[in-house]
Amino acid sequence: PDRIQAPAGNGSAVVLRGNRHPRATPANDRGAVEASFKTAGMTFLLKPSPAQQAEIQQLLARQQDPSSPDYHQWLTPEQFADRFGASPNDAAKLTAWLESQGFTVDAVARGRNWIQFSGTAGQVRDSFRTEIHRYNVNGVMHYANAAEPSIPAAFSEVVSGIRGLNDFHPAPRLRKLVPENTTANGTHHIVPDDIATIYNVAPLYAAGIDGTGQKIVVVGQTSIVLSDIQTFRTRFNLPSQTPQVVRVPKLPDPGLSQNDLAEADLDIEWSGGIARNATIIYVYSSDAFDAAQYAIDQNLAPVLSMSYGFCEPMDLVDLPFFQSVAQQANAQGMTWVTASGDAGAGDCEDLNAIVAQAGKTVDIPAVIPEVTGVGGTEFNDGGGSFWSATNNANGGSALSYIPEVVWNDTDSVNGLASGGGGASTFFPKPSWQTGSGVPADGFRDVPDIALAASPAHDAFYVFTGGSAQFYGGTSLGSPTFSGMIALLNHYLVSTGIQKQPGLGNVNPTLYRLAQNTSGVFHDINSGNNMVPCPASSPDCVNGLLGYNAGPGYDQASGLGSVNATNLVHQWSSAPPKRSAVVAAIDQNPVFQQAPDQAGNAWVFTLTLNEEAGIATT
């Protein structure tokens, strides 16, 4: 139904609380930009109604229930729009208003849950009642809105926020540290054949499961040089595959960004290095979230790999929208895999920080329940015969699975360098996140799994910028696991278990497998993601904050690393039948308002949903 019932031009406005970046502070302010300053890539974030939000949660549960008629019946973006997006009339009214203010409407989402537009700082000032200022943050100049924007009150039931009023973009999650050894003294540069051996992917290749017919979309913030990708594939005798490159239309072209190039090459090379015959679609813009948003709205592939993020408290007001986009991905059958962060339990610290001062924080989008977050491990190969003295024809030397500990290279030289993990302060505990070791904290915990990530111990080979480089970080886990999910899709389709690829949110099944099978996960029992902190800072205990590994699930390594072949063959074992009632709040976070006639200043709707497809009173 239409939700915009009043005209937009009656002068009544509402402030969009929380739509100001935390780094846009008076201390960093360097004054207003000129009125003609171009502001491209702005986005109206459109929220579902409470009824739509309840329905999408129920649909996602039914799509994962083998006994439901909706099981794996994935939606198209247009079907999603008709059930969960804004009405066509409301989208048209918003578009017409933006154009009446002088903005250019660049795109209306196929899912009708966002509208992208561009204009100038003067138009932003006149339309949203906020100025765009320049801000100097750690020596880098940014722009951002100086006050929270306002929109016509008539839009408040549909528009939840405005993205793109600033240029604070998510950061890549790759690391290049000072190695503890040279290759001559025992450090190994990891290549695709090594991962195929260590995580037992090789038997899938032997059975013909190599990603043929599958697609993975990788998102980034730079253009790429295709010859780098081709050199990587040639070096390790991978099948000839050229990635499809898509720049998000109508958004500014970031060009070749040296700060992002290694991340893009890493993600493309390693997702294709695992799913060796899959088609890799690389989507980029100046903001990786815009690229992910576009890839989901265009339904480009059943698997989405993202190695960018920022800390959860940086943008609390937009988290419901990010979750809505992730829910759209899941409803379309897309599995979204992302890195959990590289600063241990202190995700909000600046890059290259030596100590953590902001307390325990986690990374977005990894912490979204509809996204799979991948943490970091380090091979614990001391005292064992895990490596061959020579490399095979594909450059590999690993002989078997290698025991792992939590990745933690944090020291005074490298700063904070450890796998991200911890508890959300925003997302409630999903019904499926249960099992041995899962904290009874009421909130979503990350990571879900963990894979090799240490750049100081065994860095991964990446060909970038015309030469071989060696990297680590949780950035490696995201494309690696995305490749494994593509192999899983290939297996399920090739064996007739599924008619089409697509798994949606794999998290419920991962946690079910951890409880009901053996051999799928390598439980990580040693190590921690603790980082140093000042004694007076939040969550600091004896100069450290973070989490220890332990039996079962833990917030340093999740469920552990995976045995890919066992994961694939155990995937379709029947899930248990049990009810799950989950509470959801609209307008999350809730802001204080002027009291109504009854004196109520905190207004929200609480909805209870049964999400497991079981009849429940």
Side-chain angles (χ1 to χ4, degrees):
D2 298 338
R3 285 181 281 160
I4 300 177
Q5 303 294 339
N10 59 8
S12 178
V14 296
V15 176
L16 293 174
R17 301 291 183 191
N19 278 254
R20 185 182 177 194
H21 198 276
R23 299 286 175 87
T25 63
N28 295 330
D29 198 335
R30 297 298 180 268
V33 303
E34 57 276 13
S36 60
F37 182 86
K38 299 293 185 183
T39 51
M42 295 176 288
T43 306
F44 263 172
L45 311 180
L46 311 185
K47 59 186 176 182
S49 68
Q52 286 175 315
Q53 186 58 49
E55 185 183 354
I56 184 63
Q57 292 173 326
Q58 293 165 4
L59 173 66
L60 293 174
R62 295 195 301 270
Q63 287 179 324
Q64 297 294 339
D65 179 4
S67 66
S68 170
D70 288 322
Y71 179 67
H72 284 195
Q73 297 298 306
W74 311 122
L75 304 184
T76 66
E78 286 72 25
Q79 289 170 328
F80 181 89
D82 288 342
R83 295 177 65 172
F84 308 113
S87 72
N89 285 340
D90 285 348
K93 291 174 184 176
L94 293 169
T95 299
W97 181 81
L98 287 168
E99 291 175 338
S100 74
Q101 301 300 300
F103 294 109
T104 298
V105 174
D106 298 316
V108 178
R110 291 170 64 186
R112 288 202 302 275
N113 51 356
W114 50 266
I115 298 174
Q116 214 153 53
F117 58 98
S118 55
T120 65
Q123 291 164 342
V124 168
R125 178 197 60 217
D126 297 339
S127 303
F128 302 130
R129 305 183 184 185
T130 181
E131 290 186 339
I132 302 295
H133 284 208
R134 290 186 175 90
Y135 294 88
N136 188 324
V137 180
N138 297 327
V140 178
M141 198 65 70
H142 293 271
Y143 70 84
N145 50 303
E148 292 176 326
S150 297
I151 58 170
F155 298 163
S156 61
E157 291 298 312
V158 179
V159 177
S160 65
I162 307 172
R163 284 197 74 230
L165 294 177
N166 65 69
D167 68 344
F168 290 96
H169 302 311
R173 297 312 189 197
L174 83 170
R175 300 298 296 270
K176 190 173 185 178
L177 306 183
V178 177
E180 63 181 32
N181 296 307
T182 66
T183 53
N185 290 331
T187 295
H188 299 82
H189 292 153
I190 306 300
V191 304
D193 262 26
D194 292 325
I195 292 300
T197 297
I198 295 166
Y199 293 129
N200 203 30
V201 184
L204 297 175
Y205 300 150
I209 304 302
D210 59 5
T212 298
Q214 301 304 310
K215 296 179 180 179
I216 302 172
V217 62
V218 172
V219 297
Q221 294 184 167
T222 179
S223 61
I224 60 171
V225 179
L226 285 174
S227 60
D228 285 342
I229 312 301
Q230 293 159 350
T231 300
F232 178 90
R233 298 188 70 88
T234 300
R235 169 68 181 79
F236 299 114
N237 296 318
L238 300 172
S240 178
Q241 293 278 356
T242 301
Q244 299 176 18
V245 179
V246 179
R247 181 170 69 85
V248 178
K250 304 295 182 67
L251 294 186
D253 185 350
L256 197 65
S257 168
Q258 295 300 326
N259 291 332
D260 299 275
L261 181 60
E263 182 66 79
D265 289 337
L266 182 160
D267 294 346
I268 296 168
E269 290 168 3
W270 276 93
S271 56
I274 302 301
R276 299 181 172 186
N277 259 320
T279 297
I280 308 300
I281 305 170
Y282 176 62
V283 179
Y284 73 99
S285 74
S286 58
D287 189 295
F289 274 103
D290 288 337
Q293 185 177 292
Y294 176 82
I296 292 167
D297 194 59
Q298 295 301 311
N299 204 16
L300 292 181
V303 184
L304 188 155
S305 178
M306 180 173 179
S307 294
Y308 284 80
F310 54 83
C311 76
E312 185 183 48
M314 274 294 177
D315 193 8
L316 288 173
V317 75
D318 289 338
L319 294 187
F321 173 75
F322 294 144
Q323 183 177 29
S324 175
V325 172
Q327 289 173 337
Q328 177 184 352
N330 289 173
Q332 294 171 180
M334 297 177 70
T335 301
W336 188 348
V337 182
T338 190
S340 71
D342 293 349
D347 198 75
C348 279
E349 308 304 329
D350 291 332
L351 184 65
N352 300 321
I354 301 298
V355 296
Q357 303 180 66
K360 293 178 179 178
T361 50
V362 292
D363 205 65
I364 191 80
V367 74
I368 298 173
E370 290 78 12
V371 173
T372 301
V374 184
T377 71
E378 178 177 319
F379 296 131
N380 186 23
D381 50 6
S385 299
F386 300 108
W387 303 95
S388 170
T390 58
N391 297 331
N392 65 20
N394 300 330
S397 58
L399 298 173
S400 67
Y401 172 70
I402 302 173
E404 296 164 276
V405 298
V406 178
W407 166 47
N408 198 334
D409 288 327
T410 300
D411 59 31
S412 59
V413 176
N414 295 310
L416 309 184
S418 179
S424 172
T425 58
F426 182 89
F427 294 106
K429 181 82 75 182
S431 60
W432 42 260
Q433 193 166 35
T434 61
S436 173
V438 175
D441 52 10
F443 289 93
R444 159 76 163 138
D445 294 297
V446 285
D448 297 300
I449 64 165
L451 296 172
S454 172
H457 189 271
D458 296 297
F460 283 62
Y461 185 107
V462 178
F463 200 87
T464 182
S467 66
Q469 305 287 332
F470 303 96
Y471 288 92
T474 54
S475 282
L476 270 304
S478 178
T480 299
F481 192 61
S482 294
M484 294 179 184
I485 295 298
L487 297 179
L488 174 57
N489 273 312
H490 184 185
Y491 173 82
L492 294 174
V493 172
S494 66
T495 55
I497 296 173
Q498 289 187 191
K499 294 182 179 179
Q500 60 181 345
L503 297 166
N505 187 0
V506 299
N507 292 343
T509 303
L510 294 177
Y511 284 82
R512 173 177 61 80
L513 291 173
Q515 295 179 67
N516 296 287
T517 64
S518 61
V520 173
F521 300 98
H522 306 291
D523 191 11
I524 312 299
N525 290 313
S526 300
N528 60 71
N529 66 352
M530 292 187 181
V531 293
C533 52
S536 59
S537 63
D539 304 320
C540 193
V541 179
N542 297 324
L544 294 170
L545 64 83
Y547 304 91
N548 288 306
Y553 179 89
D554 56 72
Q555 293 159 300
S557 65
L559 297 169
S561 64
V562 297
N563 179 311
T565 295
N566 290 350
L567 175 72
V568 165
H569 289 294
Q570 294 279 2
W571 189 263
S572 298
S573 56
K577 299 291 185 182
R578 56 182 179 178
S579 174
V581 178
V582 177
I585 250 184
D586 75 331
Q587 301 176 25
N588 189 2
V590 179
F591 291 95
Q592 186 175 15
Q593 305 174 22
D596 60 16
Q597 292 181 344
N600 299 314
W602 300 84
V603 181
F604 59 89
T605 300
L606 180 70
T607 306
L608 300 178
N609 297 300
E610 201 292 314
E611 294 190 356
I614 307 298
T616 303
T617 301

